[in-house]
PDB file of all heavy atoms in Angstrom:
ATOM      1  N   ILE A 217       9.146  -1.534   3.643  1.00 98.00           N
ATOM      2  CA  ILE A 217       8.969  -2.648   4.598  1.00 98.00           C
ATOM      3  C   ILE A 217       8.004  -3.683   3.986  1.00 98.00           C
ATOM      4  O   ILE A 217       8.251  -4.884   4.022  1.00 98.00           O
ATOM      5  CB  ILE A 217       8.425  -2.128   5.959  1.00 98.00           C
ATOM      6  CG1 ILE A 217       9.490  -1.290   6.671  1.00 98.00           C
ATOM      7  CG2 ILE A 217       7.962  -3.287   6.838  1.00 98.00           C
ATOM      8  CD1 ILE A 217       8.973  -0.499   7.875  1.00 98.00           C
ATOM      9  N   ILE A 218       6.938  -3.193   3.404  1.00 98.00           N
ATOM     10  CA  ILE A 218       5.957  -4.107   2.787  1.00 98.00           C
ATOM     11  C   ILE A 218       6.610  -4.864   1.623  1.00 98.00           C
ATOM     12  O   ILE A 218       6.451  -6.086   1.501  1.00 98.00           O
ATOM     13  CB  ILE A 218       4.720  -3.326   2.250  1.00 98.00           C
ATOM     14  CG1 ILE A 218       4.127  -2.392   3.312  1.00 98.00           C
ATOM     15  CG2 ILE A 218       3.673  -4.286   1.679  1.00 98.00           C
ATOM     16  CD1 ILE A 218       3.625  -3.025   4.553  1.00 98.00           C
ATOM     17  N   GLN A 219       7.354  -4.132   0.802  1.00 98.00           N
ATOM     18  CA  GLN A 219       8.028  -4.783  -0.337  1.00 98.00           C
ATOM     19  C   GLN A 219       8.953  -5.902   0.143  1.00 98.00           C
ATOM     20  O   GLN A 219       8.974  -6.991  -0.428  1.00 98.00           O
ATOM     21  CB  GLN A 219       8.837  -3.756  -1.129  1.00 98.00           C
ATOM     22  CG  GLN A 219       7.969  -2.847  -1.990  1.00 98.00           C
ATOM     23  CD  GLN A 219       8.787  -1.817  -2.755  1.00 98.00           C
ATOM     24  OE1 GLN A 219       9.819  -1.348  -2.265  1.00 98.00           O
ATOM     25  NE2 GLN A 219       8.321  -1.444  -3.933  1.00 98.00           N
ATOM     26  N   LYS A 220       9.711  -5.624   1.192  1.00 97.00           N
ATOM     27  CA  LYS A 220      10.638  -6.631   1.742  1.00 97.00           C
ATOM     28  C   LYS A 220       9.853  -7.881   2.184  1.00 97.00           C
ATOM     29  O   LYS A 220      10.221  -9.000   1.874  1.00 97.00           O
ATOM     30  CB  LYS A 220      11.377  -6.017   2.942  1.00 97.00           C
ATOM     31  CG  LYS A 220      12.275  -6.967   3.706  1.00 97.00           C
ATOM     32  CD  LYS A 220      12.678  -6.392   5.072  1.00 97.00           C
ATOM     33  CE  LYS A 220      11.512  -6.386   6.053  1.00 97.00           C
ATOM     34  NZ  LYS A 220      11.814  -5.905   7.397  1.00 97.00           N
ATOM     35  N   ASN A 221       8.742  -7.655   2.857  1.00 97.00           N
ATOM     36  CA  ASN A 221       7.967  -8.793   3.364  1.00 97.00           C
ATOM     37  C   ASN A 221       7.265  -9.572   2.254  1.00 97.00           C
ATOM     38  O   ASN A 221       6.889 -10.723   2.450  1.00 97.00           O
ATOM     39  CB  ASN A 221       6.932  -8.318   4.391  1.00 97.00           C
ATOM     40  CG  ASN A 221       7.574  -7.827   5.675  1.00 97.00           C
ATOM     41  OD1 ASN A 221       8.691  -8.234   6.006  1.00 97.00           O
ATOM     42  ND2 ASN A 221       6.890  -6.956   6.393  1.00 97.00           N
ATOM     43  N   LEU A 222       7.077  -8.919   1.102  1.00 97.00           N
ATOM     44  CA  LEU A 222       6.394  -9.605  -0.009  1.00 97.00           C
ATOM     45  C   LEU A 222       7.375 -10.310  -0.952  1.00 97.00           C
ATOM     46  O   LEU A 222       6.943 -11.041  -1.849  1.00 97.00           O
ATOM     47  CB  LEU A 222       5.546  -8.604  -0.813  1.00 97.00           C
ATOM     48  CG  LEU A 222       4.271  -8.116  -0.129  1.00 97.00           C
ATOM     49  CD1 LEU A 222       3.557  -7.090  -1.002  1.00 97.00           C
ATOM     50  CD2 LEU A 222       3.326  -9.283   0.187  1.00 97.00           C
ATOM     51  N   GLU A 223       8.670 -10.129  -0.706  1.00 96.00           N
ATOM     52  CA  GLU A 223       9.655 -10.783  -1.582  1.00 96.00           C
ATOM     53  C   GLU A 223       9.427 -12.287  -1.604  1.00 96.00           C
ATOM     54  O   GLU A 223       9.276 -12.923  -0.573  1.00 96.00           O
ATOM     55  CB  GLU A 223      11.087 -10.503  -1.082  1.00 96.00           C
ATOM     56  CG  GLU A 223      11.704  -9.285  -1.738  1.00 96.00           C
ATOM     57  CD  GLU A 223      13.018  -8.880  -1.099  1.00 96.00           C
ATOM     58  OE1 GLU A 223      13.734  -9.771  -0.609  1.00 96.00           O
ATOM     59  OE2 GLU A 223      13.288  -7.663  -1.073  1.00 96.00           O
ATOM     60  N   GLY A 224       9.383 -12.842  -2.815  1.00 94.00           N
ATOM     61  CA  GLY A 224       9.222 -14.290  -2.951  1.00 94.00           C
ATOM     62  C   GLY A 224       7.789 -14.776  -2.877  1.00 94.00           C
ATOM     63  O   GLY A 224       7.533 -15.977  -2.999  1.00 94.00           O
ATOM     64  N   THR A 225       6.851 -13.874  -2.655  1.00 94.00           N
ATOM     65  CA  THR A 225       5.451 -14.303  -2.541  1.00 94.00           C
ATOM     66  C   THR A 225       4.734 -14.292  -3.881  1.00 94.00           C
ATOM     67  O   THR A 225       3.631 -14.806  -4.016  1.00 94.00           O
ATOM     68  CB  THR A 225       4.647 -13.386  -1.592  1.00 94.00           C
ATOM     69  OG1 THR A 225       4.576 -12.067  -2.182  1.00 94.00           O
ATOM     70  CG2 THR A 225       5.287 -13.294  -0.219  1.00 94.00           C
ATOM     71  N   GLY A 226       5.355 -13.650  -4.886  1.00 95.00           N
ATOM     72  CA  GLY A 226       4.685 -13.548  -6.186  1.00 95.00           C
ATOM     73  C   GLY A 226       3.761 -12.348  -6.282  1.00 95.00           C
ATOM     74  O   GLY A 226       3.147 -12.114  -7.323  1.00 95.00           O
ATOM     75  N   TYR A 227       3.647 -11.590  -5.200  1.00 97.00           N
ATOM     76  CA  TYR A 227       2.810 -10.393  -5.205  1.00 97.00           C
ATOM     77  C   TYR A 227       3.722  -9.187  -5.000  1.00 97.00           C
ATOM     78  O   TYR A 227       4.639  -9.226  -4.190  1.00 97.00           O
ATOM     79  CB  TYR A 227       1.767 -10.461  -4.083  1.00 97.00           C
ATOM     80  CG  TYR A 227       0.624  -9.477  -4.266  1.00 97.00           C
ATOM     81  CD1 TYR A 227      -0.616  -9.903  -4.724  1.00 97.00           C
ATOM     82  CD2 TYR A 227       0.793  -8.117  -3.974  1.00 97.00           C
ATOM     83  CE1 TYR A 227      -1.665  -9.003  -4.904  1.00 97.00           C
ATOM     84  CE2 TYR A 227      -0.244  -7.219  -4.159  1.00 97.00           C
ATOM     85  CZ  TYR A 227      -1.470  -7.665  -4.619  1.00 97.00           C
ATOM     86  OH  TYR A 227      -2.500  -6.783  -4.799  1.00 97.00           O
ATOM     87  N   GLN A 228       3.477  -8.110  -5.742  1.00 98.00           N
ATOM     88  CA  GLN A 228       4.360  -6.942  -5.655  1.00 98.00           C
ATOM     89  C   GLN A 228       3.613  -5.656  -5.313  1.00 98.00           C
ATOM     90  O   GLN A 228       2.470  -5.462  -5.748  1.00 98.00           O
ATOM     91  CB  GLN A 228       5.070  -6.725  -6.988  1.00 98.00           C
ATOM     92  CG  GLN A 228       6.147  -7.742  -7.288  1.00 98.00           C
ATOM     93  CD  GLN A 228       6.766  -7.441  -8.642  1.00 98.00           C
ATOM     94  OE1 GLN A 228       6.167  -7.734  -9.678  1.00 98.00           O
ATOM     95  NE2 GLN A 228       7.933  -6.821  -8.624  1.00 98.00           N
ATOM     96  N   LEU A 229       4.302  -4.784  -4.593  1.00 98.00           N
ATOM     97  CA  LEU A 229       3.759  -3.468  -4.255  1.00 98.00           C
ATOM     98  C   LEU A 229       4.588  -2.390  -4.942  1.00 98.00           C
ATOM     99  O   LEU A 229       5.820  -2.456  -4.964  1.00 98.00           O
ATOM    100  CB  LEU A 229       3.798  -3.246  -2.739  1.00 98.00           C
ATOM    101  CG  LEU A 229       3.190  -1.920  -2.276  1.00 98.00           C
ATOM    102  CD1 LEU A 229       1.665  -1.954  -2.386  1.00 98.00           C
ATOM    103  CD2 LEU A 229       3.607  -1.596  -0.843  1.00 98.00           C
ATOM    104  N   PHE A 230       3.893  -1.394  -5.505  1.00 98.00           N
ATOM    105  CA  PHE A 230       4.551  -0.305  -6.226  1.00 98.00           C
ATOM    106  C   PHE A 230       4.097   1.046  -5.659  1.00 98.00           C
ATOM    107  O   PHE A 230       3.070   1.134  -4.996  1.00 98.00           O
ATOM    108  CB  PHE A 230       4.170  -0.355  -7.714  1.00 98.00           C
ATOM    109  CG  PHE A 230       4.737  -1.551  -8.436  1.00 98.00           C
ATOM    110  CD1 PHE A 230       4.001  -2.721  -8.561  1.00 98.00           C
ATOM    111  CD2 PHE A 230       6.012  -1.499  -8.989  1.00 98.00           C
ATOM    112  CE1 PHE A 230       4.522  -3.826  -9.218  1.00 98.00           C
ATOM    113  CE2 PHE A 230       6.536  -2.593  -9.654  1.00 98.00           C
ATOM    114  CZ  PHE A 230       5.793  -3.756  -9.769  1.00 98.00           C
ATOM    115  N   PRO A 231       4.837   2.105  -6.003  1.00 98.00           N
ATOM    116  CA  PRO A 231       4.358   3.450  -5.649  1.00 98.00           C
ATOM    117  C   PRO A 231       3.110   3.822  -6.465  1.00 98.00           C
ATOM    118  O   PRO A 231       2.905   3.302  -7.569  1.00 98.00           O
ATOM    119  CB  PRO A 231       5.528   4.363  -6.034  1.00 98.00           C
ATOM    120  CG  PRO A 231       6.722   3.463  -6.130  1.00 98.00           C
ATOM    121  CD  PRO A 231       6.197   2.133  -6.569  1.00 98.00           C
ATOM    122  N   ASP A 232       2.320   4.694  -5.932  1.00 97.00           N
ATOM    123  CA  ASP A 232       1.126   5.233  -6.589  1.00 97.00           C
ATOM    124  C   ASP A 232       1.488   5.744  -8.000  1.00 97.00           C
ATOM    125  O   ASP A 232       2.331   6.633  -8.131  1.00 97.00           O
ATOM    126  CB  ASP A 232       0.621   6.369  -5.688  1.00 97.00           C
ATOM    127  CG  ASP A 232      -0.432   7.247  -6.334  1.00 97.00           C
ATOM    128  OD1 ASP A 232      -0.942   6.885  -7.402  1.00 97.00           O
ATOM    129  OD2 ASP A 232      -0.740   8.292  -5.727  1.00 97.00           O
ATOM    130  N   PRO A 233       0.850   5.193  -9.044  1.00 97.00           N
ATOM    131  CA  PRO A 233       1.182   5.627 -10.406  1.00 97.00           C
ATOM    132  C   PRO A 233       0.519   6.942 -10.827  1.00 97.00           C
ATOM    133  O   PRO A 233       0.712   7.382 -11.966  1.00 97.00           O
ATOM    134  CB  PRO A 233       0.668   4.467 -11.274  1.00 97.00           C
ATOM    135  CG  PRO A 233      -0.433   3.855 -10.481  1.00 97.00           C
ATOM    136  CD  PRO A 233      -0.117   4.083  -9.031  1.00 97.00           C
ATOM    137  N   TYR A 234      -0.254   7.544  -9.944  1.00 96.00           N
ATOM    138  CA  TYR A 234      -0.992   8.772 -10.321  1.00 96.00           C
ATOM    139  C   TYR A 234      -0.637   9.941  -9.392  1.00 96.00           C
ATOM    140  O   TYR A 234      -1.531  10.511  -8.734  1.00 96.00           O
ATOM    141  CB  TYR A 234      -2.504   8.517 -10.275  1.00 96.00           C
ATOM    142  CG  TYR A 234      -2.913   7.222 -10.917  1.00 96.00           C
ATOM    143  CD1 TYR A 234      -3.319   6.134 -10.134  1.00 96.00           C
ATOM    144  CD2 TYR A 234      -2.871   7.070 -12.304  1.00 96.00           C
ATOM    145  CE1 TYR A 234      -3.671   4.933 -10.732  1.00 96.00           C
ATOM    146  CE2 TYR A 234      -3.222   5.865 -12.902  1.00 96.00           C
ATOM    147  CZ  TYR A 234      -3.618   4.808 -12.101  1.00 96.00           C
ATOM    148  OH  TYR A 234      -3.963   3.618 -12.685  1.00 96.00           O
ATOM    149  N   PRO A 235       0.641  10.300  -9.307  1.00 93.00           N
ATOM    150  CA  PRO A 235       1.042  11.310  -8.309  1.00 93.00           C
ATOM    151  C   PRO A 235       0.344  12.659  -8.479  1.00 93.00           C
ATOM    152  O   PRO A 235       0.099  13.348  -7.494  1.00 93.00           O
ATOM    153  CB  PRO A 235       2.554  11.445  -8.515  1.00 93.00           C
ATOM    154  CG  PRO A 235       2.840  10.829  -9.832  1.00 93.00           C
ATOM    155  CD  PRO A 235       1.783   9.808 -10.085  1.00 93.00           C
ATOM    156  N   THR A 236      -0.020  13.015  -9.719  1.00 94.00           N
ATOM    157  CA  THR A 236      -0.650  14.330  -9.903  1.00 94.00           C
ATOM    158  C   THR A 236      -2.058  14.382  -9.298  1.00 94.00           C
ATOM    159  O   THR A 236      -2.604  15.462  -9.086  1.00 94.00           O
ATOM    160  CB  THR A 236      -0.755  14.711 -11.395  1.00 94.00           C
ATOM    161  OG1 THR A 236      -1.500  13.685 -12.059  1.00 94.00           O
ATOM    162  CG2 THR A 236       0.626  14.843 -12.032  1.00 94.00           C
ATOM    163  N   GLN A 237      -2.635  13.210  -9.019  1.00 94.00           N
ATOM    164  CA  GLN A 237      -3.988  13.207  -8.430  1.00 94.00           C
ATOM    165  C   GLN A 237      -3.987  13.399  -6.911  1.00 94.00           C
ATOM    166  O   GLN A 237      -5.052  13.405  -6.285  1.00 94.00           O
ATOM    167  CB  GLN A 237      -4.695  11.895  -8.789  1.00 94.00           C
ATOM    168  CG  GLN A 237      -4.876  11.742 -10.286  1.00 94.00           C
ATOM    169  CD  GLN A 237      -6.169  11.015 -10.617  1.00 94.00           C
ATOM    170  OE1 GLN A 237      -7.135  11.063  -9.857  1.00 94.00           O
ATOM    171  NE2 GLN A 237      -6.192  10.343 -11.761  1.00 94.00           N
ATOM    172  N   ARG A 238      -2.817  13.481  -6.326  1.00 94.00           N
ATOM    173  CA  ARG A 238      -2.699  13.731  -4.873  1.00 94.00           C
ATOM    174  C   ARG A 238      -3.526  12.749  -4.039  1.00 94.00           C
ATOM    175  O   ARG A 238      -4.174  13.108  -3.062  1.00 94.00           O
ATOM    176  CB  ARG A 238      -3.131  15.171  -4.529  1.00 94.00           C
ATOM    177  CG  ARG A 238      -2.260  16.254  -5.188  1.00 94.00           C
ATOM    178  CD  ARG A 238      -2.733  17.657  -4.828  1.00 94.00           C
ATOM    179  NE  ARG A 238      -2.381  18.036  -3.473  1.00 94.00           N
ATOM    180  CZ  ARG A 238      -3.257  18.185  -2.479  1.00 94.00           C
ATOM    181  NH1 ARG A 238      -4.539  17.972  -2.672  1.00 94.00           N
ATOM    182  NH2 ARG A 238      -2.846  18.552  -1.289  1.00 94.00           N
ATOM    183  N   LEU A 239      -3.498  11.492  -4.441  1.00 96.00           N
ATOM    184  CA  LEU A 239      -4.345  10.505  -3.766  1.00 96.00           C
ATOM    185  C   LEU A 239      -3.959  10.310  -2.294  1.00 96.00           C
ATOM    186  O   LEU A 239      -4.795   9.920  -1.481  1.00 96.00           O
ATOM    187  CB  LEU A 239      -4.298   9.163  -4.513  1.00 96.00           C
ATOM    188  CG  LEU A 239      -4.838   9.214  -5.945  1.00 96.00           C
ATOM    189  CD1 LEU A 239      -4.626   7.868  -6.644  1.00 96.00           C
ATOM    190  CD2 LEU A 239      -6.324   9.586  -5.970  1.00 96.00           C
ATOM    191  N   PHE A 240      -2.712  10.600  -1.962  1.00 96.00           N
ATOM    192  CA  PHE A 240      -2.256  10.474  -0.562  1.00 96.00           C
ATOM    193  C   PHE A 240      -3.117  11.316   0.373  1.00 96.00           C
ATOM    194  O   PHE A 240      -3.315  10.971   1.532  1.00 96.00           O
ATOM    195  CB  PHE A 240      -0.779  10.893  -0.467  1.00 96.00           C
ATOM    196  CG  PHE A 240      -0.160  10.714   0.891  1.00 96.00           C
ATOM    197  CD1 PHE A 240      -0.031   9.448   1.461  1.00 96.00           C
ATOM    198  CD2 PHE A 240       0.329  11.805   1.601  1.00 96.00           C
ATOM    199  CE1 PHE A 240       0.558   9.277   2.710  1.00 96.00           C
ATOM    200  CE2 PHE A 240       0.926  11.642   2.856  1.00 96.00           C
ATOM    201  CZ  PHE A 240       1.038  10.380   3.404  1.00 96.00           C
ATOM    202  N   PHE A 241      -3.632  12.432  -0.169  1.00 95.00           N
ATOM    203  CA  PHE A 241      -4.438  13.341   0.657  1.00 95.00           C
ATOM    204  C   PHE A 241      -5.939  13.154   0.448  1.00 95.00           C
ATOM    205  O   PHE A 241      -6.736  13.891   1.017  1.00 95.00           O
ATOM    206  CB  PHE A 241      -4.054  14.799   0.354  1.00 95.00           C
ATOM    207  CG  PHE A 241      -2.630  15.099   0.713  1.00 95.00           C
ATOM    208  CD1 PHE A 241      -1.667  15.251  -0.268  1.00 95.00           C
ATOM    209  CD2 PHE A 241      -2.247  15.191   2.045  1.00 95.00           C
ATOM    210  CE1 PHE A 241      -0.343  15.513   0.064  1.00 95.00           C
ATOM    211  CE2 PHE A 241      -0.925  15.451   2.390  1.00 95.00           C
ATOM    212  CZ  PHE A 241       0.033  15.601   1.402  1.00 95.00           C
ATOM    213  N   ARG A 242      -6.316  12.199  -0.366  1.00 95.00           N
ATOM    214  CA  ARG A 242      -7.723  12.082  -0.726  1.00 95.00           C
ATOM    215  C   ARG A 242      -8.432  10.874  -0.126  1.00 95.00           C
ATOM    216  O   ARG A 242      -9.578  10.598  -0.469  1.00 95.00           O
ATOM    217  CB  ARG A 242      -7.869  12.083  -2.254  1.00 95.00           C
ATOM    218  CG  ARG A 242      -7.648  13.485  -2.830  1.00 95.00           C
ATOM    219  CD  ARG A 242      -7.613  13.490  -4.331  1.00 95.00           C
ATOM    220  NE  ARG A 242      -8.781  12.837  -4.922  1.00 95.00           N
ATOM    221  CZ  ARG A 242      -8.871  12.504  -6.193  1.00 95.00           C
ATOM    222  NH1 ARG A 242      -7.875  12.763  -7.015  1.00 95.00           N
ATOM    223  NH2 ARG A 242      -9.955  11.917  -6.661  1.00 95.00           N
ATOM    224  N   SER A 243      -7.747  10.146   0.734  1.00 96.00           N
ATOM    225  CA  SER A 243      -8.447   9.086   1.446  1.00 96.00           C
ATOM    226  C   SER A 243      -8.122   9.195   2.932  1.00 96.00           C
ATOM    227  O   SER A 243      -7.318  10.042   3.350  1.00 96.00           O
ATOM    228  CB  SER A 243      -8.076   7.703   0.899  1.00 96.00           C
ATOM    229  OG  SER A 243      -8.903   6.721   1.523  1.00 96.00           O
TER     230      SER A 243
END
Side-chain angles (χ1 to χ4, degrees):
I217 291 168
I218 309 299
Q219 285 179 327
K220 174 195 72 178
N221 291 335
L222 287 178
E223 267 171 31
T225 65
Y227 197 103
Q228 288 179 283
L229 183 73
F230 292 93
D232 168 11
Y234 315 107
T236 58
Q237 298 214 27
R238 298 179 75 250
L239 297 175
F240 184 63
F241 297 106
R242 286 173 53 193
S243 187

